[in-house]
Amino acid sequence: MSASEKAKAKTEQTAGKVEKEVGRAVGNERVAAEGESKEAKGDLRGAKEKGKDALKG
């Protein structure tokens, strides 16, 4: 996995988790849902890169 793509995936995952928890803490379902979406996007980016690595190796 390229270092920059791995960093992007971790950043999206972390930002999504934070946003999700903040939304839940303040009772804002929209913010929590956006956070979940960002976290999922980061998860998918990471999975895509791991798949690329598996095909290369």
Side-chain angles (χ1 to χ4, degrees):
M1 181 180 327
S2 73
S4 65
E5 288 298 313
K6 184 176 182 181
K8 285 181 187 178
K10 286 293 182 187
T11 301
E12 286 177 338
Q13 290 168 340
T14 303
K17 284 180 185 179
V18 169
E19 189 173 351
K20 178 176 68 175
E21 293 305 319
V22 168
R24 287 181 179 167
V26 298
N28 188 329
E29 291 181 22
R30 182 185 60 81
V31 172
E34 287 176 2
E36 284 187 48
S37 175
K38 285 181 185 178
E39 186 177 2
K41 185 178 176 184
D43 292 342
L44 289 173
R45 184 185 301 269
K48 178 186 81 170
E49 291 302 315
K50 285 181 183 179
K52 283 182 179 178
D53 286 347
L55 292 174
K56 286 181 185 178

